[in-house]
Amino acid sequence: MESVVHRTVEVNGIKMHVAEKGEGPVVLFIHGFPELWYTWRHQILALSSRGYRAVAPDLRGYGDTEAPPSITSYTCFHIVGDLVALIDSLGVQQVFLVAHDWGAHIGWYLCMFRPEKVKAYVCLSVPLRRRDPKVNPVDVMRAVYGDDYYICRFQKADEMEAQMAEVGTEYVLKNILTTRKPGPPIFPKGEYGTGCNPDMTNSLPSWLPQDDLAYYVSKFEKTGFTGPLNYYRNMNLNWELTAPWSGVKVQVPVKFITGELDMVYTSLNMKEYIHGGGFKENVPNLEEVIVQKEVGHFNNQEAAEEISNYIYDFINKFCSPSTLHVPSYIPLLCFCGVLQFLKRVSEDH
């Protein structure tokens, strides 16, 4: 990852850390919870080597980006405002958008509020759900899943932070990132306990080596979890603020990818919504839905190469060859290949 360039950009009143690599059309990667720009490490290298400029920020409250102290500084308008300012700072009119988990939520808001900024969207894990004008989302989740559903448990300021502190940063990150338990995460009462992953073992999966986990731990030990948890604490406020967009359909071209074991995909009625026409109704230009066999929630890390190829195959349809930046070594390789071919022909004759 030494070739990735890191810089700080002033956006929407805060300083945002951005990692980027490559030249060509911009692919903007938006991470989820509890992640960082680093969740896209594999895709950054893959897409930048294929003629794209891969750009991955730490979102507001995460990593090396500033974290405003007020809970209400983490609404969808704040986060989308950060991203619009970032896109403008890149000197481009449009980006290809790739997002996962909470980043996917924000991606839908960006496509809804500023569709002219997004050429196409590859969404991982979290589909667009139409806003219910009659009831706020947290009340719905509490009614369906109970008070110990993880989103409900994240609502009260400082409470979850204290419970996470009892088990430690590394435990929390390992517990969430390695979960493969289908269905809605339900926490033990009154504690973090086994959290999202009651089946957690001491060993790490092959796709999350200790060095990668250590990078996440180093950043979250510095920042804590309050900024990231504040995204959840604004879900009801986001619902109030987005009343003018009730019933709006997202018209951007979309490819949706999820894991077969993903906690969102395996939650109540989600498969029926995704495959039964409801998702397509809300996103008319939904071009493809892919379900990865035996893959969990963090599919961009667990099935990194496959995700990189899916992204490339989709966004490449919207690019003319002249817009792509071919790394300087590619023509050299092609030229060398031609010489080898001519040499073999001459030898045969």
Side-chain angles (χ1 to χ4, degrees), residues 6-27:
H6 297 267
R7 58 194 181 91
T8 300
V9 182
E10 296 266 357
V11 298
N12 196 24
I14 64 168
K15 293 181 174 65
M16 171 176 274
H17 166 249
V18 178
E20 68 174 278
K21 180 176 170 61
E23 297 179 51
V26 174
V27 184

Side-chain angles (χ1 to χ4, degrees), residues 8 13 23 42 86 102 168 198 205 210 277 288 297 306 322 327 343:
T8 300
E23 297 179 51
H42 305 292
L86 173 59
W102 248 109
Q210 186 62 46
E288 188 176 9
H297 180 64
E306 188 176 17
S322 62
K343 181 180 178 183

Side-chain angles (χ1 to χ4, degrees), residues 70-81 102 106 109 112-113 131-133 135-137 230-231 233-248:
S70 169
I71 292 176
T72 54
S73 292
Y74 294 83
T75 70
C76 57
F77 287 151
H78 289 88
I79 314 304
V80 171
W102 248 109
I106 300 302
Y109 284 130
M112 194 179 296
F113 301 158
R131 179 184 181 276
D132 185 339
V135 59
N136 71 59
N230 283 341
Y231 285 62
R233 292 165 183 158
N234 278 283
M235 291 182 76
N236 281 348
L237 180 55
N238 287 341
W239 175 79
E240 293 179 24
L241 294 172
T242 55
W245 287 269
S246 279
V248 169

Side-chain angles (χ1 to χ4, degrees), residues 107-119:
W108 291 120
Y109 284 130
L110 177 59
C111 291
M112 194 179 296
F113 301 158
R114 298 296 301 273
E116 79 281 4
K117 294 288 186 183
V118 181
K119 194 164 190 176

Side-chain angles (χ1 to χ4, degrees), residues 40 43 98-101 104 121-127 255-258 262 292 297 299-300 307 311:
W40 301 109
Q43 288 76 34
V98 181
H100 172 257
D101 188 77
Y121 180 23
V122 179
C123 177
L124 308 185
S125 178
V126 180
K255 182 174 192 172
F256 179 77
I257 312 169
T258 188
D262 188 294
Q292 297 173 292
H297 180 64
N299 54 345
N300 56 329
I307 290 293
I311 295 168

